[in-house]
């Protein structure tokens, strides 16, 4: 069995705990054993999974891999700690708030001979797979991707572009590399409202 720990118990972290506690029959998850979860908040137990300290998770010889499901801004530091401790790491997208930091983390994982895997789970959904089939072989002339959400804490989630970067990755996966041609941001603090509008161009303009 491969010992794991979940770090962060937001929506993604709770889903990880649920799936690790109840793996699908005959799936690779059956070979993973959840040793516990780490959170800044005090929970005790969640679905029979026990809360452990970060120090214990880093030092335990029973834990071989960490599933990081914290806010974007803390990903880089948490990845570094677990790689330094000799653990494999799976992290929710995005891995870091800069390309420079991401490259450093890849190099660190390589030096430690550990797996560093970034998971963008939206790209594995049936809805997305269907969308990819629909655009295959077609030329993009013009298109719009619009999505909404609640206003995020920039201190935890990073600049608003990072709140939406998972969706922007759809476009790159569907249409190849993109170049930003313009970007604007509108804020209405009294209404707790923020909107970012970005225009991209594909390689063939």
């Amino acid at each position: 069995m491969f010992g794991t720990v979940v770090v962060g118990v937001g929506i993604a972290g709770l889903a990880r705990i649920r799936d690790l506690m109840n793996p699908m029959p005959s799936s690779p998850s059956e070979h993973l054993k959840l040793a516990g979860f780490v959170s800044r908040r005090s929970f005790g137990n969640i679905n029979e999974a026990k809360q452990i300290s970060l120090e214990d998770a880093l030092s335990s010889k029973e834990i071989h891999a960490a599933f990081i499901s914290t806010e974007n801004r803390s990903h880089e530091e948490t990845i570094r700690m677990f790689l330094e401790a000799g653990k494999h790491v799976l992290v929710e997208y995005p891995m870091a708030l800069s390309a420079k930091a991401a490259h450093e983390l890849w190099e660190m994982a390589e030096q430690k001979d550990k797996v560093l895997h970034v998971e963008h789970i939206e790209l594995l959904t049936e809805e997305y797979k269907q969308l990819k089939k629909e655009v295959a072989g077609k030329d993009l002339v013009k298109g719009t991707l619009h999505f909404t959400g609640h206003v995020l804490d920039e201190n935890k989630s990073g600049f608003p572009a990072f709140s939406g970067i998972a969706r922007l990755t759809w476009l790159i996966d569907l249409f190849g590399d993109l170049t930003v041609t313009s970007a604007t941001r509108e804020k209405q603090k009294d209404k707790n409202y923020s909107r970012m509008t970005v225009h991209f161009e594909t390689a063939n303009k």
Side-chain angles (χ1 to χ4, degrees):
M1 295 293 283
F2 205 70
T4 63
V5 63
V6 172
V7 184
V9 288
I11 294 172
L14 289 172
R16 294 276 182 209
I17 291 170
R18 178 200 65 209
D19 293 344
L20 287 165
M21 297 292 284
N22 301 285
M24 289 179 64
S26 302
S27 72
S29 298
E30 284 194 316
H31 301 287
L32 301 177
K33 181 181 179 183
L34 181 63
F37 67 89
V38 173
S39 176
R40 289 186 302 258
R41 294 172 289 169
S42 181
F43 288 97
N45 288 3
I46 296 177
N47 296 339
E48 297 180 18
K50 65 179 180 178
Q51 184 165 3
I52 61 176
S53 69
L54 177 61
E55 293 73 20
D56 287 347
L58 291 167
S59 63
S60 173
K61 292 182 179 177
E62 304 300 313
I63 294 174
H64 308 99
F67 289 28
I68 298 173
S69 304
T70 56
E71 62 273 3
N72 297 342
R73 192 173 289 279
S74 69
H75 286 182
E76 180 184 344
E77 180 186 2
T78 311
I79 291 168
R80 285 185 193 279
M81 286 192 290
F82 278 96
L83 286 177
E84 283 286 0
K87 317 289 186 189
H88 302 288
V89 175
L90 179 146
V91 62
E92 305 287 345
Y93 191 93
M95 179 165 67
L97 297 188
S98 73
K100 180 176 181 289
H103 286 295
E104 288 174 1
L105 293 170
W106 289 124
E107 289 172 11
M108 185 178 179
E110 200 169 308
Q111 289 165 4
K112 298 279 184 183
D113 196 27
K114 296 300 170 188
V115 173
L116 171 54
H117 175 71
V118 186
E119 185 156 284
H120 188 348
I121 203 159
E122 288 181 355
L123 301 185
L124 305 175
T125 62
E126 290 306 316
E127 293 86 350
Y128 182 79
K129 289 176 184 175
Q130 183 58 38
L131 177 61
K132 194 161 185 175
K133 281 181 189 172
E134 288 175 14
V135 303
K138 296 178 181 175
D139 290 324
L140 176 66
V141 178
K142 189 176 182 180
T144 301
L145 176 65
H146 178 244
F147 56 93
T148 61
H150 61 280
V151 179
L152 297 174
D153 181 345
E154 289 187 29
N155 290 325
K156 294 180 178 178
S157 300
F159 188 67
F162 272 89
S163 304
I165 200 167
R167 295 313 193 314
L168 301 182
T169 306
W170 289 12
L171 298 179
I172 293 170
D173 188 56
L174 294 170
F175 305 112
D177 286 345
L178 302 171
T179 302
V180 177
T181 57
S182 68
T184 58
R185 184 181 181 193
E186 175 191 348
K187 288 179 80 173
Q188 296 178 22
K189 281 194 174 179
D190 56 325
K191 295 181 180 178
N192 201 26
Y193 173 84
S194 175
R195 178 173 69 184
M196 177 171 280
T197 305
V198 187
H199 295 273
F200 298 97
E201 203 171 65
T202 60
N204 63 0
K205 308 296 180 184

